[in-house]
C-alpha cells in the first residue's frame, strides 16, 4: 500500500472516531485495496453497525416460589374459608394421598370480596375478608407439598362492586339490578371493570399463584330478555350497526384477550370457566360466550360439564343418571370443536363430585366413587387427561382412582 493510500485510511478512521457513531447509525465504507498480485482495485465493504440484541428482555415478575406444572392437572375447588381453615390440611392430605395435584382457590369470590386482607394502603382493602388469615403461610404449604396453585377470580358477577359503582353495573330504574338470588353483575362493556379485575389477578400472580382462572366471564343469564329493559353503558361498543348479541360476544372475548396480554409479564397461565352448553352452540347469545373465540385466547379452557346441569342434550333424558355417557358425548363434541382451531388450549373440564338431590326423586344419583371415576374415565378415553372437581362445601369423595386408565 502506498503512502497516499495509508494516509486515506488513517483520515477515514479519524473521521469516524470524531463522528462518534451511535448504535442506530450504519455506514458502508469503501476502501480501494490493491491485491498483492497487482490486479485491478476491488471494493471491500465494512459494516460498522453496532448490533443491537435481537430480543430486549421484558419485565418478568418472580414471586420467589417454585412450582412444577404436573403431568396433568387434577384438582379440587377450595373456598377462601377452607383455604384459611382446618379443612385446608384435610385437603392437603387428600392430595398427598392420591393422584390429585392441584387446588383452585377462591381469591375473589362470588360476591366480589377478596378472600384475604391486602396491605393497608391497597385500594382493595375495603373488599378484603379475613378468610385466608395468612396467604404467605398458605402459599408456603402449597409449595412444600408441590400442589399446583390456581387462583379463581370471579369477574363480572360482583355485587360488591356493582353497589359501590352503580355506573359500572346494570340499573333497573334507579336501583342496581339483582337476579333472583340477590346477586348483581358489573358491565363487561366497560374497560374500567376489566382493569379492576385484571389488577386483582396481578395481585394473585404476585402472591405466587401459577395460573389465574377467570369465572363468570359473561353477562347475566338470560340477558337477551332484559337487555332493552335495563339501563347501562355500552362503552366502546356503542356502534349502532352491530347487533347486541355480537357486542356481548366481542366484549367478553376482548376482555379475555386483554387479561391474558396484561398477565404475560407475570408468567402465569390464564384459564376461563365456561358453560358446557356453550360448546354445543355457535355462541350463547344472552351471556356473550363464544366457546371457540374464548378458547383461542386462553391457555386452558374449563367447561363446566356437571351431568346434573344438563337437560336432555345428546339424547340422554336424565343426564345425572348417566355420568359416563354424558361426559363421553360432551368430550367428543369438544374435541371436534377445539380441533378446528389453529391453536387450541388445554381442555380441563369441571366434573361433578356432589349429589344433585334438588333434581327430585328418580332424576339424580348419589354421587360417590363410582360416579366420579366414570366421569374421569370418559374424559381419559377421549384423550382429555386434565380435570377439576367441584363440591361447593369442599367435601370430596374418598378413595377415588383419579387415573383410572393407568
Amino acid at each position: 500500500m502506498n503512502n497516499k493510500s495509508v494516509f486515506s485510511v488513517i483520515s477515514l478512521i479519524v473521521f469516524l472516531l470524531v463522528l462518534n457513531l451511535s448504535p442506530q447509525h450504519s455506514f458502508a465504507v469503501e476502501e480501494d485495496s490493491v491485491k498483492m498480485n497487482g490486479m485491478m482495485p476491488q471494493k471491500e465493504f465494512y459494516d460498522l453497525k453496532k448490533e443491537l440484541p435481537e430480543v430486549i428482555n421484558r419485565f418478568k415478575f418472580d414471586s420467589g416460589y417454585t412450582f412444577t406444572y404436573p403431568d396433568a392437572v387434577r384438582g379440587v375447588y377450595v373456598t377462601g374459608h377452607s383455604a384459611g381453615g382446618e379443612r385446608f390440611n384435610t385437603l392437603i392430605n387428600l392430595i398427598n394421598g392420591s393422584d390429585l395435584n392441584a387446588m383452585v382457590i377462591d381469591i375473589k369470590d362470588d360476591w366480589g370480596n377478596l378472600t384475604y386482607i391486602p396491605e393497608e394502603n391497597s385500594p382493595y382493602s375495603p373488599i378484603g375478608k379475613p378468610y385466608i388469615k395468612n396467604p404467605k403461610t398458605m402459599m408456603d404449604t402449597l409449595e412444600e407439598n408441590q400442589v399446583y396453585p390456581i387462583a379463581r377470580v370471579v369477574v363480572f358477577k360482583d355485587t360488591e362492586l356493582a353497589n359501590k359503582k352503580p355506573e359500572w353495573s346494570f340499573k333497573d330504574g334507579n336501583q342496581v339490578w339483582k337476579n333472583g338470588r340477590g346477586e348483581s353483575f358489573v358491565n363487561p362493556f366497560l374497560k374500567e371493570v376489566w382493569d379492576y379485575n385484571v389488577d386483582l389477578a396481578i395481585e394473585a400472580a404476585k402472591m405466587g399463584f401459577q395460573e389465574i382462572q377467570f369465572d363468570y366471564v359473561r353477562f347475566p343469564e338470560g340477558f337477551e330478555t332484559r337487555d332493552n329493559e335495563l339501563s347501562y353503558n355500552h362503552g366502546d361498543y356503542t356502534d349502532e350497526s352491530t347487533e347486541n348479541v355480537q357486542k356481548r360476544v366481542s366484549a367478553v372475548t376482548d376482555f379475555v384477550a386483554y387479561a391474558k396480554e396484561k398477565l404475560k409479564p407475570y408468567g402465569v397461565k390464564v384459564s376461563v370457566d365456561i358453560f358446557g352448553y356453550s360448546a354445543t352452540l355457535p355462541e350463547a347469545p344472552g351471556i356473550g360466550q363464544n366457546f371457540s373465540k374464548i378458547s383461542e385466547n386462553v391457555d386452558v379452557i374449563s367447561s363446566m360439564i356437571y351431568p346434573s346441569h344438563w337437560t336432555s342434550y345428546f339424547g340422554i333424558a336424565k343426564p345425572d343418571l348417566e355420568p359416563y355417557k354424558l361426559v363421553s358425548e360432551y368430550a367428543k363434541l369438544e374435541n371436534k370443536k377445539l380441533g378446528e382451531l389453529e391453536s387450541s388450549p388445554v381442555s380441563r373440564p369441571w366434573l361433578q363430585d356432589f349429589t344433585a338431590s334438588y333434581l327430585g326423586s328418580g332424576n339424580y344419583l348419589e354421587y360417590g366413587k363410582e360416579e366420579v371415576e366414570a366421569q374421569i374415565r370418559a374424559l381419559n378415553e377421549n384423550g382429555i387427561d386434565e380435570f377439576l372437581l367441584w363440591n361447593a362445601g369442599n367435601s370430596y369423595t374418598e378413595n377415588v382412582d383419579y387415573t383410572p386408565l393407568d
Side-chain angles (χ1 to χ4, degrees):
M1 184 180 291
N2 59 33
N3 291 336
K4 183 176 181 181
S5 297
V6 171
F7 179 78
S8 298
V9 171
I10 293 173
S11 299
L12 176 63
I13 292 172
V14 171
F15 168 74
L16 291 176
L17 289 172
V18 172
L19 190 61
N20 189 24
L21 291 175
S22 69
Q24 287 77 22
H25 290 108
S26 177
F27 290 83
V29 182
E30 297 182 358
E31 178 195 356
D32 284 346
S33 65
V34 180
K35 294 198 171 182
M36 299 299 294
N37 61 6
M39 292 180 65
M40 292 296 292
Q42 293 182 348
K43 302 290 186 183
E44 291 184 1
F45 292 89
Y46 297 93
D47 187 1
L48 299 180
K49 180 179 178 181
K50 295 182 180 178
E51 292 186 4
L52 288 171
E54 290 186 10
V55 179
I56 299 176
N57 291 330
R58 296 178 60 186
F59 161 76
K60 187 171 182 180
F61 181 81
D62 181 4
S63 69
Y65 288 102
T66 301
F67 292 94
T68 302
Y69 194 92
D71 61 314
V73 169
R74 297 178 290 274
V76 294
Y77 165 62
V78 182
T79 65
H81 289 284
S82 291
E86 291 185 8
R87 186 172 292 275
F88 185 64
N89 289 329
T90 301
L91 294 170
I92 289 288
N93 290 336
L94 171 66
I95 289 174
N96 285 340
S98 70
D99 285 326
L100 294 172
N101 53 34
M103 286 185 180
V104 179
I105 300 174
D106 275 344
I107 290 301
K108 178 178 178 234
D109 68 16
D110 291 52
W111 295 94
N113 299 309
L114 283 185
T115 56
Y116 65 98
I117 303 292
E119 294 180 0
E120 200 171 313
N121 60 352
S122 168
Y124 302 106
S125 290
I127 62 171
K129 300 292 181 182
Y131 305 149
I132 302 173
K133 298 173 182 61
N134 193 325
K136 185 180 185 307
T137 298
M138 177 190 72
M139 296 304 301
D140 288 347
T141 302
L142 293 171
E143 182 186 41
E144 180 183 343
N145 291 276
Q146 276 302 291
V147 177
Y148 182 71
I150 303 169
R152 179 175 178 256
V153 175
V154 175
V155 183
F156 298 123
K157 186 171 80 166
D158 192 331
T159 304
E160 180 74 30
L161 183 59
N163 289 330
K164 183 179 179 181
K165 293 275 193 181
E167 68 274 21
W168 291 2
S169 183
F170 304 100
K171 296 179 73 174
D172 186 1
N174 293 322
Q175 303 295 318
V176 171
W177 173 82
K178 299 178 181 179
N179 64 17
R181 295 182 294 276
E183 303 161 331
S184 296
F185 279 65
V186 285
N187 186 351
F189 286 127
L190 301 183
K191 180 105 173 344
E192 295 90 340
V193 174
W194 294 10
D195 285 329
Y196 179 87
N197 284 281
V198 169
D199 287 347
L200 287 173
I202 288 173
E203 290 304 306
K206 289 179 178 179
M207 290 168 67
F209 283 94
Q210 301 297 289
E211 183 171 319
I212 307 300
Q213 183 189 89
F214 291 113
D215 199 359
Y216 285 87
V217 186
R218 60 178 178 80
F219 286 75
E221 290 173 74
F223 194 77
E224 68 274 20
T225 66
R226 59 177 65 92
D227 67 341
N228 293 320
E229 300 172 4
L230 302 177
S231 58
Y232 58 95
N233 188 343
H234 278 91
D236 293 335
Y237 298 85
T238 55
D239 185 358
E240 300 274 341
S241 65
T242 306
E243 295 180 353
N244 283 350
V245 168
Q246 291 308 313
K247 288 179 183 178
R248 290 194 288 271
V249 168
S250 294
V252 168
T253 305
D254 291 349
F255 164 75
V256 174
Y258 178 81
K260 188 179 182 189
E261 183 64 27
K262 288 289 186 178
L263 285 164
K264 275 184 180 178
Y266 298 90
V268 292
K269 294 185 182 297
V270 173
S271 57
V272 166
D273 294 337
I274 191 168
F275 278 135
Y277 78 81
S278 294
T280 71
L281 307 168
E283 52 201 17
I287 61 175
Q289 286 187 344
N290 180 305
F291 178 86
S292 297
K293 289 181 178 179
I294 290 176
S295 294
E296 286 174 331
N297 289 286
V298 295
D299 299 298
V300 180
I301 191 76
S302 288
S303 293
M304 298 173 283
I305 57 174
Y306 321 120
S308 61
H309 282 40
W310 294 83
T311 55
S312 55
Y313 272 80
F314 309 117
I316 307 171
K318 298 180 179 182
D320 196 65
L321 303 183
E322 301 189 59
Y324 172 84
K325 186 175 181 181
L326 184 283
V327 171
S328 183
E329 291 301 313
Y330 173 83
K332 292 172 186 174
L333 181 148
E334 186 188 83
N335 283 341
K336 182 176 183 300
K337 200 115 177 185
L338 291 178
E340 295 169 354
L341 304 180
E342 285 188 18
S343 179
S344 61
V346 170
S347 172
R348 188 194 298 154
W350 280 100
L351 302 180
Q352 179 174 330
D353 193 357
F354 60 87
T355 296
S357 55
Y358 53 83
L359 294 175
S361 180
N363 298 308
Y364 75 92
L365 289 176
E366 288 281 346
Y367 270 56
K369 174 180 167 66
E370 183 178 341
E371 289 72 27
V372 173
E373 289 179 358
Q375 295 172 84
I376 297 170
R377 188 170 64 255
L379 288 181
N380 292 170
E381 289 176 353
N382 285 280
I384 301 174
D385 298 322
E386 302 204 2
F387 64 85
L388 301 170
L389 298 176
W390 180 273
N391 181 289
N394 305 161
S395 180
Y396 296 97
T397 302
E398 297 182 358
N399 302 315
V400 170
D401 182 356
Y402 295 110
T403 54
L405 295 191
D406 286 358

